Amino acid sequence: MAGDDKRKSIIDAGISVFSRLGFHGAKMEDIAQEARVAKGTVYLYFPSKEVLLEEIYRHALGTYFEGLVERSAKDSAPAEKLYDMALFTLTFAGENRESARFILEAATGMREEFKVWLFTLRARWIDLTCLIIQEAMKRGEARPDLDALAAAHMYVGALNSLVSSRLWGNRTVSAAADAATLCALFWRGVGVAG
């Protein structure tokens, strides 16, 4: 197995083992066994469980955020951009259910430096959303007196709630239907006819 393949295998095994046993219950030897590599190989790539956990976060959230940036950069109306971002988020969570559940549950034991990285990534998501809302305001598609930053927090919060209901609840509505409902309600609230 090549180096990149081993690294990915260890990350995938980490997600699986952490999801099953929890961060504190998992041992590096459990991860090695799941990845079908020697325990020393796991330590070669990741010197501790904390470093492996952080890499899982960085990989999954980095991939997710790249998708958000791609959708926000499209040459389309703000309403379409936010719908595309919501649909992408809901679909991404559904397609990566195990890692999404793990990531949302396992935010304990993180180093301060990593917490700052997570907070910065979330702030970038809010800023990206805020820019789209400000674009809608300039185009006359949203109320001119709107607090765009507060609206961005509300949009992201509602989207996170829908993701949670899909990951831990029995929500069977399609991602497209949830994205459409979220966006219709959001745009009504910011002053755009639905």
Side-chain angles (χ1 to χ4, degrees), residues 15 60 63-64 71 87-101 163 166-167 175:
I15 292 168
T63 300
Y64 167 69
R71 278 143 189 86
L87 180 59
F88 171 72
T89 297
L90 294 165
T91 302
F92 188 87
E95 290 173 351
N96 299 281
R97 186 178 181 87
E98 185 178 68
S99 58
R101 286 179 76 167
V163 166
R166 299 176 81 77
L167 294 176

Side-chain angles (χ1 to χ4, degrees), residues 6 25 29 31 45 57 74 116 130 143 146 154 160 176:
K6 281 184 187 175
E29 59 202 44
I31 294 163
Y45 287 91
Y57 271 78
K74 288 183 176 178
V116 169
C130 187
R143 291 193 333 254
L146 188 66
M154 289 176 206
N160 282 334

Side-chain angles (χ1 to χ4, degrees), residues 168-182:
W168 289 280
N170 294 323
R171 189 126 182 98
T172 58
V173 176
S174 73
D178 270 350
T181 299
L182 167 68

Side-chain angles (χ1 to χ4, degrees), residues 35-124:
R36 295 188 171 124
V37 298
K39 183 177 172 183
T41 302
V42 175
Y43 281 107
L44 179 65
Y45 287 91
F46 304 100
S48 68
K49 283 194 313 184
E50 292 78 13
V51 171
L52 175 56
L53 179 64
E54 290 173 8
E55 182 58 28
I56 290 168
Y57 271 78
R58 286 183 197 278
H59 176 73
L61 294 177
T63 300
Y64 167 69
F65 192 74
E66 286 173 17
L68 285 180
V69 169
E70 182 181 309
R71 278 143 189 86
S72 73
K74 288 183 176 178
D75 187 23
S76 57
E80 187 177 330
K81 288 179 186 181
L82 288 185
Y83 170 79
D84 286 346
M85 289 167 68
L87 180 59
F88 171 72
T89 297
L90 294 165
T91 302
F92 188 87
E95 290 173 351
N96 299 281
R97 186 178 181 87
E98 185 178 68
S99 58
R101 286 179 76 167
F102 167 71
I103 284 169
L104 292 174
E105 289 175 335
T108 59
M110 299 290 188
R111 293 177 301 141
E112 192 60 32
E113 167 192 325
F114 188 73
K115 289 177 187 176
V116 169
W117 180 84
L118 279 175
F119 180 78
T120 301
L121 190 64
R122 179 172 168 72
R124 289 177 60 204

Side-chain angles (χ1 to χ4, degrees), residues 78-79 82 126 129-155 183 185-193:
L82 288 185
I126 297 290
T129 305
C130 187
L131 288 172
I132 293 168
I133 295 166
Q134 289 170 338
E135 179 186 348
M137 292 167 70
K138 288 177 188 167
R139 294 169 56 145
E141 298 170 2
R143 291 193 333 254
D145 63 336
L146 188 66
D147 181 338
L149 184 58
H153 278 278
M154 289 176 206
Y155 169 85
C183 290
L185 292 170
F186 177 78
W187 287 111
R188 280 190 198 113
V190 299
V192 176

